[in-house]
Each structure stands twice: as C-alpha cells, then as structure tokens.
C-alpha cells in the first residue's frame, strides 16, 4: 500500500481565475522517494469537513527543474478543487503520495525525434512536464503542441509556453471553443 507524506506548501498562486499552482517543499531526506519522470502525478489527501478526500494531479514541473508543482483547476461542485483554490495558503500542509504513473516516454538525448501533443484545458499539465523535459534533454527534438481552451483567459501556463516556444523547437497552435 502506498504511503502518504505530510508536505508543506512552499508556494501557491493563481495561474488563472479558476486555477491554482501548488509548489511543494520536499525535504532533502524525501527527495529520493519523490523523484519523478515527466508526465507522472501526485495523489493529494486532505480531510475536508470531516471527509477523507483524495485527488490525483499531474506534475506540471519537469524533473530537471528541481521542483514539484501541480495545477488544480476548480471544477463545478468540486470539494477538493474548491478547497485548494479558496483555502490553501503558503505554509499549509497536505498529505501527498510519491509520484506515480506511466504517462511518459524515455528521453533519448542523441536522437532528433519529432513529437506532437494534443491537450485541452488543464490536461496541459502532464504535457507541459513532458515538453519541458524532452526539450531540455533532447536538443535535436522538435515538439508540436495543439492546445484547446474555452478562451484566451483560461489558458493555463500561457506565458511559460510562450517562453518555451521562443527559445526551443516548439510550435504551438492555440484554439478556443
């Protein structure tokens, strides 16, 4: 059975009006336990109004960045997403399970592979981790991203994606409904 660890929130900020990005402080002794691959996710647990709730969120950071970040978009009637977006603050603690999941492709630094990815809304989070990792470790690769959102204001990580696009082999096509 997987174990939960109590982690402190090092930072939390609004990425859009209905989403927050949480950065976890991983103590040095837990960094080996929390090593991850691009595209993996964390399971968070909180007791909200007497109810033990668990939700999984993809890491949007990349392993080479040395940080552990997830984005939580508010969903209608979402108890956990509402808690994250309305209540959590820097310094608060959450129970977090070590990274897991198999939504990744091993990096091959000597190859010039061409990638194409499709994402919609908050589905960008694992894709962003994958893009950042492969662009960093595979200098010959190219990446094409097709990203659908409700509106320009709802685009998660718009500035970060633009910065990546300007300095790497990344082509981005945005679309809205």
């Amino acid at each position: 059975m997987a174990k939960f660890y109590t982690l402190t929130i090092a930072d939390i900020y609004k990425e859009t009006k209905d989403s927050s990005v949480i950065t976890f402080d991983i103590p040095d002794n837990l960094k080996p336990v929390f090593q991850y691959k691009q595209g993996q996710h964390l399971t968070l647990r909180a007791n909200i109004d007497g109810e033990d709730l668990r939700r999984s969120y993809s890491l949007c950071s990349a392993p080479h960045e040395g940080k552990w970040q997830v984005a939580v978009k508010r969903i209608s009637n979402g108890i956990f997403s509402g808690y994250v977006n309305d209540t959590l603050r820097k310094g608060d603690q959450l129970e977090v399970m070590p990274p897991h999941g198999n939504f990744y492709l091993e990096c091959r630094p000597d190859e010039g592979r061409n990638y194409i990815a499709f994402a919609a809304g908050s589905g960008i989070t694992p894709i962003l981790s994958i893009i950042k990792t492969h662009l960093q470790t595979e200098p010959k690769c190219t990446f094409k991203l097709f990203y659908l959102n409700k509106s320009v204001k709802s685009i998660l990580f718009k500035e970060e994606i633009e910065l990546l696009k300007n300095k790497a082999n990344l082509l981005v096509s945005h679309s809205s409904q």
Side-chain angles (χ1 to χ4, degrees):
M1 181 181 284
K3 181 177 178 183
F4 282 91
Y5 296 85
T6 301
L7 298 180
T8 300
I9 296 173
D11 191 25
I12 185 167
Y13 67 90
K14 288 288 189 191
E15 177 65 24
T16 65
K17 70 176 185 150
D18 63 349
S19 65
S20 295
V21 176
I22 303 170
T23 304
F24 291 101
D25 179 24
I26 308 295
D28 288 340
N29 66 318
L30 289 181
K31 286 184 179 173
V33 174
F34 276 83
Q35 281 186 328
Y36 67 98
K37 293 189 179 284
Q38 65 281 6
Q40 289 189 308
H41 60 276
L42 298 175
T43 300
L44 313 182
R45 180 171 73 183
N47 187 300
I48 304 169
D49 296 328
E51 191 174 353
D52 181 32
L53 297 175
R54 302 170 188 208
R55 299 293 183 271
S56 293
Y57 297 100
S58 295
L59 285 147
C60 52
S61 51
H64 69 271
E65 295 176 307
K67 59 185 175 180
W68 289 257
Q69 288 184 315
V70 296
V72 179
K73 185 173 182 178
R74 178 188 306 280
I75 59 170
S76 180
N77 299 319
I79 296 170
F80 203 97
S81 67
Y83 173 72
V84 168
N85 280 279
D86 298 336
T87 305
L88 284 182
R89 300 287 177 257
K90 180 178 178 177
D92 288 348
Q93 294 183 323
L94 276 176
E95 298 293 312
V96 183
M97 193 181 292
H100 51 285
N102 298 311
F103 185 62
Y104 64 88
L105 184 64
E106 293 294 340
C107 293
R108 295 192 179 147
D110 297 331
E111 294 185 21
R113 298 190 286 186
N114 299 308
Y115 299 99
I116 189 167
F118 297 87
S122 61
I124 191 65
T125 56
I127 301 299
L128 182 59
S129 178
I130 291 166
I131 289 171
K132 290 189 289 190
T133 301
H134 286 272
L135 289 176
Q136 174 71 25
T137 59
E138 296 180 6
K140 299 176 197 172
C141 82
T142 61
F143 229 108
K144 293 182 179 90
L145 170 64
F146 295 89
Y147 188 18
L148 175 68
N149 284 279
K150 290 181 182 178
S151 69
V152 172
K153 289 182 178 183
S154 70
I155 297 173
L156 282 168
F157 306 109
K158 185 177 187 326
E159 289 180 25
E160 187 171 5
I161 291 168
E162 287 300 312
L163 286 172
L164 283 169
K165 185 175 91 171
N166 291 335
K167 70 177 189 179
N169 294 321
L170 174 63
L171 175 65
V172 180
S173 177
H174 288 283
S175 182
S176 56
Q177 296 176 331

